[in-house]
Amino acid sequence: MIKYTKITAVKELADLTYTMWQMGWDEKNGGNISYILSQEEIKEIYKELKFRTPNSVDNP
């Protein structure tokens, strides 16, 4: 089973959405959040999910 919670971007988004909810900025599952992934985060996701890394990720 894949552990999505090991991925840095997922951890950061989880913390961010929880903080937003605590501050009353949004209901728990009510909105969309945009998050721009760095090349390192993309590589981490591909590695964790065991996808073949596309050339565009390896050679920015």
Side-chain angles (χ1 to χ4, degrees):
M1 182 175 186
I2 297 170
K3 298 215 176 203
Y4 296 99
T5 56
K6 293 166 80 177
I7 299 171
T8 304
V10 173
K11 290 180 194 176
E12 290 180 8
L13 277 171
D15 290 343
L16 176 63
T17 55
Y18 184 70
T19 299
M20 290 171 61
W21 175 73
Q22 283 184 313
M23 302 289 280
W25 296 341
D26 196 8
E27 65 271 14
K28 189 174 182 179
N29 293 313
N32 297 316
I33 297 174
S34 296
Y35 184 91
I36 299 172
L37 297 168
S38 68
Q39 289 294 319
E40 291 77 26
E41 289 170 323
I42 293 169
K43 288 178 185 179
E44 178 186 8
I45 290 168
Y46 271 80
K47 180 181 175 185
E48 186 63 37
L49 301 182
K50 298 181 180 27
F51 289 131
R52 198 186 94 194
T53 307
N55 290 335
S56 61
V57 174
D58 286 336
N59 302 313

